[in-house]
Amino acid sequence: MASNNLSSDVPEELYSNIDAKLKIGNSLVVCFGEMLIDFVPTVSGVSLAEAPAFDKAPGGAPANVAVGISRMGGSSAFIGKVGNDEFGFMLADILKKNKVDNSGMRFDTKARTALAFVTLRADGEREFLFFRHPSADMLLEESELDVTLIEKASIFHYGSISLIDEPCKSAHLAALKIAKRSGSFLSYDPNLRLQLWRSEEDARNGILSIWDQADMIKVSEDEIRFLTGGDDPYDDNVVLKKLFHPNLKLLIVTEGSDGCRYYTKNFRGRVESVKVKAIDTTGAGDAFVGGILSCLASDLTLYQDEKRLRQALLFANACGAVTVTKRGAIPSLPTKEQVIQILQQTSA
């Protein structure tokens, strides 16, 4: 690492003429993994038992990212499995309406589309209750992969939930191998959901089993603490020694409303976020990932230029900020125009 100081300010030049400087790429981003139905209480700050009613909303981190990229004007596709049921058909239609290529979706006749009840605490943070016994996303077979679609990917993005159970785990590893062989830029967001794994050890081992293959990893403070066995997520030495692998091009640590840190082989720093009043943090991390991948899709070498990277991360932070001002994941994902507007308001 060339620089030992974390820069935390957001200089005026990052905001200056950001609309003209930021380019959203048309290179294809293929997102692999789960898509499901989120049931969100109609009021905040209550338990599931106390919720008077629920709104249903499409969700699933990889699908959220795919829609986020499309909303930005980028090109995206989703690969995953849903049930051959009304919810599954609804999800496929939502992707289509959001201009996401859904040709890689498969429909299982034996298992239902996954459901997740998401409680919103008073601070806007989430708690989950999943119904997957098993759900269709867990049953994607390697033989069902759209190999041609994967081979077209400039960026291949994935999480870790698809590594939990067979046969989806084998399908995930096969897709990763195809993407790597095809020269895709590999983007990994572990998206830890501990209650879905059999044990903490299984979760830690499963998430880290493919760690060294990614070109870019987005990880949260809580995930660093979990993956390192309780180490300080704010300690650069912890991040660099335990999580930055030799082939990694970009490691991003998200800090919620405080912004994010970034680490490359040549520099590191911090970019603050845009301050908003959070209503629901569901999908904020996925909006962030969609924002940074949209920028990388225009130029995969962007991470080598610190000034351009910082501007792209400011944009990604703003994507997350806009998202938390509304309920639900996919319904609240912003357009590029909405993100630019909030940045311009912040810099005014």
Side-chain angles (χ1 to χ4, degrees), residues 54-74:
F54 295 88
D55 288 329
K56 73 176 188 297
N64 293 344
V65 172
V67 173
I69 291 166
S70 181
R71 290 259 176 94
M72 293 292 151

Side-chain angles (χ1 to χ4, degrees), residues 24-43:
I24 303 301
N26 289 320
S27 298
L28 180 64
V29 181
V30 174
C31 301
F32 177 94
E34 69 281 0
M35 189 174 192
L36 50 101
I37 302 290
D38 286 332
F39 285 93
V40 184
T42 53
V43 296

Side-chain angles (χ1 to χ4, degrees), residues 76-246:
S76 65
F78 173 75
I79 291 178
K81 201 171 195 181
V82 293
N84 190 48
D85 52 43
E86 289 302 313
F87 281 149
F89 304 148
M90 183 190 90
L91 293 175
D93 189 54
I94 285 170
L95 289 181
K96 185 176 180 181
K97 286 180 178 177
N98 281 279
K99 300 179 181 178
V100 175
D101 182 344
N102 66 3
S103 61
M105 287 185 78
R106 300 294 179 260
F107 298 85
D108 197 285
T109 57
K110 297 179 181 178
R112 298 298 189 189
T113 300
L115 307 179
F117 285 79
V118 187
T119 64
L120 309 174
R121 301 200 306 255
D123 59 2
E125 284 301 317
R126 299 158 293 160
E127 294 175 358
F128 295 90
L129 176 61
F130 292 95
F131 287 79
R132 304 169 80 239
H133 308 293
S135 54
D137 60 290
M138 301 160 64
L139 302 180
L140 181 68
E141 302 268 359
E142 181 179 344
S143 61
E144 296 176 303
L145 292 174
D146 188 331
V147 175
T148 302
L149 184 59
I150 298 171
E151 290 175 338
K152 291 178 182 177
S154 175
I155 299 173
F156 185 73
H157 175 72
Y158 48 92
S160 69
I161 290 175
S162 45
L163 294 171
I164 298 175
D165 294 285
E166 293 289 0
C168 189
K169 178 180 178 180
S170 291
H172 182 146
L173 296 177
L176 196 56
K177 187 175 181 180
I178 295 166
K180 196 172 185 69
R181 185 181 67 218
S182 302
S184 301
F185 183 94
L186 303 181
S187 166
Y188 184 24
D189 177 3
N191 193 36
L192 175 65
R193 295 289 179 263
L194 192 54
Q195 58 269 55
L196 294 180
W197 294 84
R198 290 169 184 82
S199 68
E200 288 192 7
E201 183 180 9
D202 275 1
R204 193 174 291 110
N205 291 339
I207 288 170
L208 292 175
S209 68
I210 58 171
W211 197 264
D212 61 356
Q213 297 192 49
D215 295 300
M216 184 191 94
I217 297 173
K218 194 275 304 185
V219 66
S220 70
E221 304 152 284
D222 288 341
E223 287 165 343
I224 291 176
R225 199 175 284 112
F226 174 77
L227 293 172
T228 61
D231 287 351
D232 182 0
Y234 302 100
D235 186 337
D236 283 350
N237 290 324
V238 168
V239 174
L240 295 174
K241 290 179 180 178
K242 294 195 174 184
L243 298 178
F244 198 96
H245 65 76

Side-chain angles (χ1 to χ4, degrees), residues 272-315:
E272 292 187 358
S273 189
V274 177
K275 301 303 180 185
V276 296
K277 180 173 174 55
I279 294 176
D280 176 12
T281 60
T282 306
D286 303 327
F288 176 94
V289 174
I292 189 63
L293 292 184
S294 295
C295 296
L296 281 166
S298 71
D299 181 3
L300 287 174
T301 66
L302 180 148
Y303 65 89
Q304 298 174 0
D305 182 327
E306 187 169 14
K307 183 177 179 181
R308 293 176 63 211
L309 175 61
R310 286 174 62 80
Q311 195 160 46
L313 289 170
L314 177 63
F315 179 79

